[in-house]
Structure formats: C-alpha cells, structure tokens
Coordinates of all heavy atoms in Angstrom, one line a residue:
N1 N 0.8 -1.2 0.0 CA 0.0 0.0 0.0 C 0.9 1.2 0.0 O 1.9 1.3 0.7 CB -0.9 0.0 1.2 CG -1.9 -1.1 1.2 OD1 -2.2 -1.6 0.1 ND2 -2.5 -1.5 2.3
R2 N 0.4 2.2 -0.7 CA 1.1 3.5 -0.7 C 0.8 4.3 0.5 O -0.2 4.3 1.0 CB 0.7 4.3 -2.0 CG 1.1 3.7 -3.3 CD 0.4 4.4 -4.4 NE 0.9 5.7 -4.6 CZ 1.8 6.1 -5.5 NH1 2.2 5.2 -6.4 NH2 2.1 7.3 -5.6
A3 N 1.8 5.1 0.9 CA 1.7 6.1 2.0 C 0.7 7.1 1.6 O 0.6 7.5 0.4 CB 3.0 6.7 2.4
A4 N -0.1 7.6 2.5 CA -1.1 8.7 2.2 C -0.4 9.9 1.7 O -1.0 10.7 1.0 CB -1.9 8.9 3.5
T5 N 0.8 10.2 2.1 CA 1.6 11.4 1.7 C 2.3 11.2 0.4 O 2.9 12.2 -0.1 CB 2.6 11.7 2.8 OG1 3.5 10.6 3.0 CG2 1.9 12.1 4.1
A6 N 2.2 10.0 -0.2 CA 2.9 9.8 -1.5 C 2.2 10.6 -2.6 O 1.0 10.5 -2.7 CB 2.9 8.3 -1.9
P7 N 2.9 11.4 -3.4 CA 2.3 12.1 -4.5 C 1.6 11.1 -5.5 O 2.2 10.1 -5.9 CB 3.5 12.8 -5.2 CG 4.6 12.8 -4.2 CD 4.4 11.6 -3.4
A8 N 0.4 11.5 -5.8 CA -0.4 10.6 -6.7 C 0.1 10.5 -8.1 O -0.2 9.5 -8.8 CB -1.8 11.1 -6.7
D9 N 0.9 11.5 -8.6 CA 1.4 11.5 -9.9 C 2.7 10.7 -10.1 O 3.2 10.6 -11.2 CB 1.6 12.9 -10.4 CG 2.6 13.7 -9.6 OD1 2.8 13.4 -8.4 OD2 3.3 14.6 -10.2
L10 N 3.2 10.1 -9.0 CA 4.4 9.3 -9.1 C 4.0 7.8 -9.1 O 3.2 7.4 -8.3 CB 5.4 9.6 -8.0 CG 6.0 11.0 -8.0 CD1 6.9 11.2 -6.8 CD2 6.7 11.3 -9.3
T11 N 4.7 7.0 -9.9 CA 4.5 5.6 -9.8 C 5.2 5.0 -8.6 O 6.1 5.6 -8.0 CB 5.1 4.9 -11.1 OG1 6.5 5.0 -11.1 CG2 4.5 5.5 -12.4
D12 N 4.9 3.7 -8.3 CA 5.6 3.1 -7.2 C 7.0 2.9 -7.4 O 7.9 3.1 -6.5 CB 5.0 1.7 -6.9 CG 3.6 1.7 -6.3 OD1 3.2 2.8 -5.8 OD2 2.9 0.7 -6.4
R13 N 7.4 2.7 -8.7 CA 8.8 2.6 -9.1 C 9.5 3.9 -8.9 O 10.6 3.9 -8.3 CB 8.9 2.2 -10.6 CG 10.3 2.0 -11.0 CD 10.4 1.4 -12.5 NE 11.7 1.0 -12.9 CZ 12.6 1.8 -13.3 NH1 12.4 3.1 -13.5 NH2 13.8 1.3 -13.7
Q14 N 8.9 5.0 -9.3 CA 9.5 6.3 -9.1 C 9.7 6.6 -7.6 O 10.7 7.2 -7.2 CB 8.6 7.4 -9.7 CG 8.7 7.4 -11.2 CD 7.7 8.3 -11.9 OE1 6.5 8.4 -11.4 NE2 8.1 9.1 -12.9
L15 N 8.7 6.3 -6.8 CA 8.8 6.5 -5.3 C 9.9 5.7 -4.7 O 10.7 6.2 -3.9 CB 7.5 6.1 -4.6 CG 6.3 7.1 -4.9 CD1 5.0 6.5 -4.4 CD2 6.6 8.4 -4.3
F16 N 10.1 4.5 -5.2 CA 11.1 3.6 -4.6 C 12.5 4.1 -5.0 O 13.4 4.2 -4.2 CB 10.9 2.1 -5.1 CG 11.9 1.2 -4.5 CD1 11.9 1.0 -3.1 CD2 12.8 0.5 -5.2 CE1 12.8 0.1 -2.5 CE2 13.8 -0.3 -4.6 CZ 13.8 -0.5 -3.3
L17 N 12.6 4.5 -6.3 CA 13.9 5.1 -6.8 C 14.2 6.4 -6.0 O 15.4 6.6 -5.7 CB 13.9 5.4 -8.3 CG 13.9 4.1 -9.2 CD1 13.7 4.5 -10.6 CD2 15.1 3.2 -8.9
G18 N 13.2 7.2 -5.7 CA 13.5 8.4 -4.9 C 14.0 8.0 -3.5 O 14.8 8.7 -2.9
F19 N 13.4 7.0 -2.9 CA 13.8 6.5 -1.6 C 15.3 6.0 -1.6 O 16.1 6.4 -0.8 CB 12.9 5.3 -1.1 CG 13.5 4.6 0.0 CD1 13.4 5.1 1.3 CD2 14.1 3.3 -0.2 CE1 14.0 4.3 2.4 CE2 14.6 2.6 0.9 CZ 14.5 3.1 2.1
L20 N 15.6 5.3 -2.7 CA 17.0 4.8 -2.8 C 18.0 6.0 -3.0 O 19.1 6.0 -2.4 CB 17.1 3.8 -4.0 CG 16.4 2.5 -3.8 CD1 16.6 1.6 -5.0 CD2 17.0 1.8 -2.5
S21 N 17.6 7.0 -3.7 CA 18.4 8.2 -3.9 C 18.6 8.9 -2.6 O 19.8 9.3 -2.3 CB 17.7 9.1 -4.9 OG 18.5 10.3 -5.1
E22 N 17.6 9.1 -1.8 CA 17.7 9.7 -0.5 C 18.6 8.9 0.4 O 19.5 9.4 1.2 CB 16.4 9.9 0.2 CG 15.6 11.1 -0.4 CD 14.8 11.8 0.7 OE1 15.1 11.6 1.9 OE2 13.8 12.4 0.3
L23 N 18.5 7.6 0.4 CA 19.3 6.7 1.2 C 20.7 6.8 0.8 O 21.6 6.9 1.7 CB 18.8 5.2 0.9 CG 19.2 4.2 1.9 CD1 18.6 4.4 3.3 CD2 18.8 2.8 1.4
R24 N 21.1 6.8 -0.5 CA 22.5 6.9 -0.9 C 23.1 8.3 -0.5 O 24.2 8.4 -0.2 CB 22.6 6.7 -2.4 CG 24.0 6.7 -2.9 CD 24.2 6.5 -4.4 NE 23.0 6.0 -5.0 CZ 22.9 5.8 -6.3 NH1 24.0 6.0 -7.1 NH2 21.9 5.3 -6.9
T25 N 22.3 9.4 -0.6 CA 22.8 10.7 -0.2 C 23.0 10.8 1.3 O 24.0 11.3 1.7 CB 21.7 11.7 -0.7 OG1 21.6 11.7 -2.1 CG2 22.2 13.1 -0.3
A26 N 22.1 10.3 2.1 CA 22.3 10.4 3.5 C 23.3 9.4 4.1 O 23.9 9.6 5.1 CB 20.9 10.1 4.2
F27 N 23.5 8.3 3.4 CA 24.4 7.2 3.9 C 25.3 6.8 2.8 O 25.2 5.7 2.2 CB 23.6 6.0 4.3 CG 22.5 6.3 5.4 CD1 21.2 6.6 5.1 CD2 22.9 6.3 6.8 CE1 20.3 6.8 6.0 CE2 21.9 6.5 7.7 CZ 20.6 6.8 7.4
P28 N 26.3 7.7 2.4 CA 27.1 7.4 1.3 C 28.0 6.1 1.4 O 28.5 5.6 0.4 CB 28.0 8.7 1.1 CG 28.0 9.3 2.5 CD 26.6 8.9 3.1
D29 N 28.3 5.7 2.6 CA 29.1 4.5 2.8 C 28.3 3.2 3.0 O 28.7 2.2 3.4 CB 30.1 4.6 3.9 CG 29.4 4.7 5.3 OD1 28.2 5.0 5.3 OD2 30.0 4.6 6.3
G30 N 27.0 3.3 2.6 CA 26.1 2.2 2.9 C 26.4 1.0 2.1 O 26.9 1.0 1.0
A31 N 26.2 -0.1 2.8 CA 26.4 -1.5 2.3 C 25.2 -2.3 2.5 O 24.7 -2.5 3.6 CB 27.6 -2.1 2.9
H32 N 24.6 -2.8 1.4 CA 23.4 -3.7 1.4 C 23.8 -5.1 1.4 O 24.7 -5.5 0.6 CB 22.5 -3.4 0.2 CG 22.0 -2.0 0.1 ND1 20.8 -1.7 0.7 CD2 22.5 -0.9 -0.4 CE1 20.6 -0.4 0.5 NE2 21.6 0.1 -0.2
E33 N 23.2 -6.0 2.2 CA 23.4 -7.4 2.1 C 22.0 -8.0 1.9 O 21.2 -8.0 2.8 CB 24.1 -7.9 3.3 CG 24.3 -9.4 3.3 CD 24.9 -10.0 4.6 OE1 25.3 -9.2 5.4 OE2 24.9 -11.2 4.7
I34 N 21.8 -8.6 0.7 CA 20.5 -9.3 0.5 C 20.4 -10.6 1.3 O 21.3 -11.4 1.1 CB 20.2 -9.5 -1.0 CG1 20.1 -8.1 -1.7 CG2 19.0 -10.3 -1.2 CD1 20.0 -8.2 -3.2
R35 N 19.4 -10.7 2.1 CA 19.3 -11.9 2.9 C 18.4 -13.0 2.2 O 18.7 -14.1 2.2 CB 18.7 -11.6 4.3 CG 19.5 -10.6 5.1 CD 20.8 -11.3 5.6 NE 21.4 -10.4 6.5 CZ 22.2 -10.8 7.5 NH1 22.4 -12.1 7.6 NH2 22.8 -10.0 8.3
I36 N 17.2 -12.5 1.8 CA 16.3 -13.4 1.2 C 15.6 -12.6 0.0 O 15.3 -11.4 0.2 CB 15.1 -13.8 2.1 CG1 15.7 -14.5 3.3 CG2 14.1 -14.6 1.4 CD1 14.7 -14.8 4.4
M37 N 15.5 -13.2 -1.1 CA 14.7 -12.6 -2.3 C 13.8 -13.7 -2.8 O 14.2 -14.8 -3.1 CB 15.7 -12.2 -3.4 CG 14.9 -11.4 -4.5 SD 16.0 -10.8 -5.7 CE 16.8 -9.4 -4.9
E38 N 12.5 -13.4 -2.8 CA 11.5 -14.4 -3.1 C 10.5 -13.8 -4.1 O 10.0 -12.8 -3.9 CB 10.8 -14.8 -1.8 CG 9.8 -16.0 -2.0 CD 9.2 -16.4 -0.7 OE1 9.9 -16.3 0.3 OE2 8.0 -16.8 -0.7
E39 N 10.3 -14.6 -5.2 CA 9.3 -14.2 -6.2 C 7.9 -14.5 -5.6 O 7.7 -15.6 -5.1 CB 9.6 -15.0 -7.5 CG 8.7 -14.5 -8.6 CD 9.1 -15.2 -9.9 OE1 10.1 -15.8 -10.0 OE2 8.3 -15.0 -10.9
L40 N 7.0 -13.6 -5.9 CA 5.6 -13.8 -5.4 C 4.7 -13.8 -6.6 O 5.1 -13.3 -7.7 CB 5.2 -12.6 -4.5 CG 6.0 -12.4 -3.2 CD1 5.6 -11.2 -2.5 CD2 5.9 -13.6 -2.4
P41 N 3.5 -14.2 -6.5 CA 2.5 -14.2 -7.6 C 2.3 -12.7 -8.0 O 2.5 -11.8 -7.3 CB 1.3 -14.8 -7.0 CG 1.7 -15.6 -5.8 CD 2.9 -14.9 -5.3
G42 N 1.9 -12.6 -9.3 CA 1.6 -11.2 -9.8 C 2.8 -10.4 -10.2 O 2.8 -9.2 -10.1
N43 N 3.9 -11.1 -10.6 CA 5.1 -10.4 -11.0 C 5.7 -9.5 -9.9 O 6.0 -8.3 -10.2 CB 4.8 -9.6 -12.3 CG 6.1 -9.3 -13.0 OD1 7.1 -10.0 -12.9 ND2 6.0 -8.2 -13.8
R44 N 5.7 -10.0 -8.7 CA 6.2 -9.2 -7.6 C 7.4 -10.0 -6.9 O 7.5 -11.2 -7.0 CB 5.1 -9.0 -6.5 CG 4.0 -8.1 -7.0 CD 3.0 -7.9 -6.0 NE 2.1 -6.9 -6.4 CZ 1.5 -6.0 -5.5 NH1 1.7 -6.2 -4.2 NH2 0.7 -5.1 -6.0
V45 N 8.2 -9.2 -6.2 CA 9.3 -9.8 -5.5 C 9.4 -9.2 -4.1 O 9.1 -8.0 -3.9 CB 10.7 -9.5 -6.2 CG1 11.9 -10.0 -5.4 CG2 10.7 -10.2 -7.6
V46 N 9.6 -10.0 -3.1 CA 9.9 -9.5 -1.8 C 11.4 -9.7 -1.4 O 11.9 -10.7 -1.7 CB 8.9 -10.1 -0.7 CG1 9.2 -11.6 -0.5 CG2 9.1 -9.4 0.6
T47 N 12.0 -8.7 -0.8 CA 13.4 -8.8 -0.5 C 13.6 -8.4 0.9 O 13.1 -7.3 1.4 CB 14.2 -7.8 -1.4 OG1 13.9 -8.1 -2.8 CG2 15.7 -8.0 -1.2
Y48 N 14.4 -9.2 1.7 CA 14.8 -8.8 3.0 C 16.3 -8.6 3.0 O 17.0 -9.4 2.4 CB 14.5 -10.0 4.0 CG 13.0 -10.3 4.1 CD1 12.5 -11.3 3.3 CD2 12.2 -9.6 5.0 CE1 11.1 -11.6 3.4 CE2 10.9 -9.9 5.1 CZ 10.3 -10.9 4.3 OH 9.0 -11.2 4.4
W49 N 16.7 -7.4 3.5 CA 18.1 -7.1 3.4 C 18.6 -6.4 4.7 O 17.8 -5.9 5.4 CB 18.5 -6.3 2.1 CG 18.1 -4.9 2.2 CD1 19.0 -3.9 2.6 CD2 17.0 -4.2 1.7 NE1 18.4 -2.6 2.4 CE2 17.1 -2.8 1.9 CE3 15.8 -4.7 1.2 CZ2 16.1 -1.9 1.6 CZ3 14.8 -3.8 0.9 CH2 15.0 -2.4 1.0
T50 N 19.9 -6.4 4.9 CA 20.5 -5.7 6.0 C 21.3 -4.5 5.3 O 21.9 -4.6 4.3 CB 21.6 -6.6 6.7 OG1 20.9 -7.7 7.2 CG2 22.2 -5.9 7.8
F51 N 21.2 -3.4 6.0 CA 21.8 -2.2 5.5 C 22.7 -1.6 6.6 O 22.2 -1.3 7.7 CB 20.8 -1.1 5.1 CG 21.3 0.2 4.6 CD1 22.0 0.2 3.3 CD2 21.2 1.3 5.3 CE1 22.5 1.4 2.9 CE2 21.7 2.5 4.8 CZ 22.4 2.5 3.6
R52 N 23.9 -1.4 6.4 CA 24.8 -0.9 7.4 C 25.5 0.4 6.8 O 26.0 0.4 5.7 CB 25.9 -1.9 7.8 CG 25.4 -3.1 8.5 CD 26.6 -3.9 9.0 NE 26.4 -5.3 9.4 CZ 25.3 -5.9 10.0 NH1 24.3 -5.2 10.0 NH2 25.3 -7.1 10.4
A53 N 25.5 1.5 7.6 CA 26.0 2.8 7.1 C 26.2 3.8 8.2 O 25.8 3.6 9.3 CB 25.1 3.3 6.0
T54 N 26.9 4.9 7.8 CA 27.0 6.0 8.7 C 26.1 7.2 8.1 O 26.2 7.5 7.0 CB 28.5 6.5 8.7 OG1 29.3 5.4 9.1 CG2 28.7 7.6 9.7
Q55 N 25.3 7.8 9.0 CA 24.4 8.8 8.5 C 25.2 10.1 8.4 O 25.4 10.8 9.4 CB 23.2 9.0 9.5 CG 22.2 10.0 8.9 CD 21.0 10.3 9.8 OE1 21.0 9.8 10.9 NE2 20.1 11.0 9.3
D56 N 25.6 10.5 7.2 CA 26.3 11.7 6.9 C 25.5 12.8 6.3 O 26.0 13.9 6.0 CB 27.5 11.4 6.0 CG 28.6 10.6 6.6 OD1 28.7 10.7 7.8 OD2 29.3 9.9 5.9
G57 N 24.2 12.6 6.1 CA 23.3 13.6 5.6 C 21.9 13.5 6.1 O 21.6 12.4 6.8
P58 N 21.0 14.4 5.9 CA 19.7 14.3 6.3 C 18.9 13.2 5.7 O 19.2 12.9 4.5 CB 19.1 15.7 6.0 CG 19.9 16.2 4.9 CD 21.3 15.7 5.1
F59 N 18.0 12.6 6.4 CA 17.2 11.5 5.9 C 15.8 11.6 6.4 O 15.5 11.5 7.6 CB 17.8 10.1 6.3 CG 17.2 8.9 5.7 CD1 17.3 8.7 4.3 CD2 16.5 8.0 6.4 CE1 16.7 7.6 3.7 CE2 15.9 6.9 5.9 CZ 16.0 6.7 4.5
F60 N 14.9 11.8 5.5 CA 13.4 12.1 5.8 C 13.3 13.1 6.9 O 12.6 12.8 7.9 CB 12.8 10.7 6.1 CG 12.5 9.9 4.9 CD1 13.3 8.8 4.6 CD2 11.5 10.2 4.0 CE1 13.1 8.0 3.5 CE2 11.3 9.4 2.9 CZ 12.0 8.3 2.7
G61 N 14.0 14.2 6.8 CA 13.9 15.3 7.8 C 14.7 15.1 9.0 O 14.8 16.0 9.9
M62 N 15.4 14.0 9.2 CA 16.3 13.8 10.4 C 17.6 14.3 10.0 O 18.2 13.8 9.0 CB 16.3 12.3 10.8 CG 15.0 11.8 11.3 SD 15.1 10.0 11.8 CE 15.5 9.2 10.2
P63 N 18.2 15.2 10.8 CA 19.6 15.7 10.5 C 20.6 14.6 10.6 O 20.4 13.6 11.3 CB 19.8 16.8 11.5 CG 18.8 16.5 12.6 CD 17.7 15.8 12.0
A64 N 21.7 14.8 9.9 CA 22.9 13.8 10.0 C 23.3 13.7 11.5 O 23.4 14.7 12.2 CB 24.0 14.3 9.1
T65 N 23.6 12.4 11.9 CA 24.1 12.2 13.2 C 25.6 11.8 13.2 O 26.2 11.9 14.3 CB 23.3 11.0 13.8 OG1 23.6 9.8 13.1 CG2 21.8 11.3 13.9
G66 N 26.1 11.3 12.1 CA 27.4 10.8 12.1 C 27.5 9.4 12.7 O 28.6 8.8 12.8
N67 N 26.4 8.8 13.2 CA 26.4 7.5 13.8 C 26.2 6.4 12.7 O 25.7 6.6 11.7 CB 25.2 7.4 14.7 CG 25.3 8.3 15.9 OD1 26.4 8.6 16.3 ND2 24.2 8.6 16.5
Q68 N 26.8 5.2 13.1 CA 26.6 4.0 12.2 C 25.3 3.4 12.6 O 24.8 3.4 13.7 CB 27.7 3.0 12.4 CG 28.9 3.4 11.7 CD 29.9 2.3 11.6 OE1 29.9 1.4 12.4 NE2 30.8 2.3 10.7

C-alpha cells in the first residue's frame, strides 16, 4: 500500500527510486546485504536485506548524526 503522503502523480517505481536516492545521499558508505529474495505471484518480489552505514546527511527530515 502507498503512503497517504505519496504524490499521486508518481509511480511506485518512481517513489522507490526516490527512496534509494535519499538513502544513498544520507548514507554514502552504505552497504546492502540481501538476505532473502523471493518471487511472489503477480510479477512481484519481496526482498529482506541488511543495511549498514553512517548517517552523513539528512534522511526524511532527520539531520545527520554521524552514527553508524
């Protein structure tokens, strides 16, 4: 389900790519580790992953902390 605050004129793909862009900007040293990737009916995929990084920039309104 889409968030109520998601702009209606953007596709789910565009929203996800925007999220990834913010993630990369806020956590430039980020490392993703895919744990599980499973294909679902209806041409969908669910992915569980671990993300480790240092917050060097703002992320969804939260200022940078410098913490891992």
Side-chain angles (χ1 to χ4, degrees):
N1 294 339
R2 292 171 66 104
T5 57
D9 61 333
L10 295 179
T11 65
D12 289 343
R13 184 176 190 274
Q14 289 170 315
L15 290 170
F16 186 65
L17 290 175
F19 166 76
L20 291 179
S21 177
E22 283 214 21
L23 195 66
R24 186 180 343 180
T25 300
F27 303 94
D29 65 343
H32 298 267
E33 180 183 349
I34 296 175
R35 302 288 190 153
I36 300 170
M37 186 177 288
E38 185 175 328
E39 188 175 350
L40 301 176
N43 199 27
R44 293 180 171 212
V45 174
V46 64
T47 305
Y48 297 93
W49 79 90
T50 302
F51 180 71
R52 294 186 193 336
T54 306
Q55 186 183 5
D56 288 335
F59 187 65
F60 286 103
M62 295 181 293
T65 65
N67 295 333
Q68 283 193 336

